[in-house]
Amino acid sequence: MSPRLTVVIPVHNGAQHLWECLASVAAQSLRELDVVVVDDGSTDAAPDIARAFAERDGRFRLVRQHNHGTGHARNTGVRHAAPGTEYLAFADSADVLPRRAYERLVGLLDGSGSDFATGNVYLLTAAGRSQAWQ
């Protein structure tokens, strides 16, 4: 079955949070995922973490490039999306998603015919969780 959603995750020296991010994407209830992790010239263990996920879960792929910035890395990820994928999402390497996040967003798009959907964003800090300005 072809993926319904490609998730592009740019990372530059984000090893500290990357494992938790990728684990939250791997655990999504929407199983028809294509996940492109774009290493944007990291000098930490981020590429190793992404490679480990790609080796154990065929939905994950690692694309490496020299550091060009987040926007360029996102564009690189889009170019590597699985052909015919219906929807596109972006996550940052420090993001952690609730288990049904992509299922709900894709369901909203399917049901409404909209071209764009967004979810709620919370900031996680040492002081706890708070509503983000977004």
Side-chain angles (χ1 to χ4, degrees):
M1 174 180 265
S2 64
R4 301 242 15 238
L5 174 70
T6 291
V7 181
V8 175
I9 305 172
V11 59
H12 176 76
N13 294 337
Q16 179 181 1
H17 302 289
L18 185 60
W19 185 268
E20 189 175 8
C21 171
L22 298 181
S24 76
V25 174
Q28 288 296 298
S29 56
L30 179 69
R31 303 302 298 163
E32 299 87 10
L33 294 176
D34 169 45
V35 184
V36 182
V37 180
V38 180
D39 172 46
D40 191 39
S42 295
T43 58
D44 66 359
D48 298 328
I49 293 167
R51 188 177 302 107
F53 259 88
E55 288 173 356
R56 70 179 224 186
D57 188 330
R59 299 173 302 164
F60 286 73
R61 289 178 285 125
L62 172 62
V63 176
R64 299 192 73 185
Q65 67 180 28
H66 293 289
N67 180 247
H68 294 291
T70 304
H72 190 278
R74 286 186 177 127
N75 290 336
T76 297
V78 170
R79 284 192 300 276
H80 285 86
T85 303
E86 211 170 340
Y87 299 113
L88 177 67
F90 297 101
D92 290 328
S93 60
D95 291 348
V96 177
L97 295 118
R99 189 179 185 303
R100 295 184 62 209
Y102 290 137
E103 174 189 356
R104 289 180 175 180
L105 289 170
V106 166
L108 287 170
L109 291 168
D110 287 344
S112 68
S114 296
D115 294 325
F116 183 82
T118 185
N120 199 356
V121 178
Y122 290 103
L123 295 175
L124 304 175
T125 66
R129 183 175 93 161
S130 63
Q131 181 66 52
W133 65 268
Q134 295 95 333

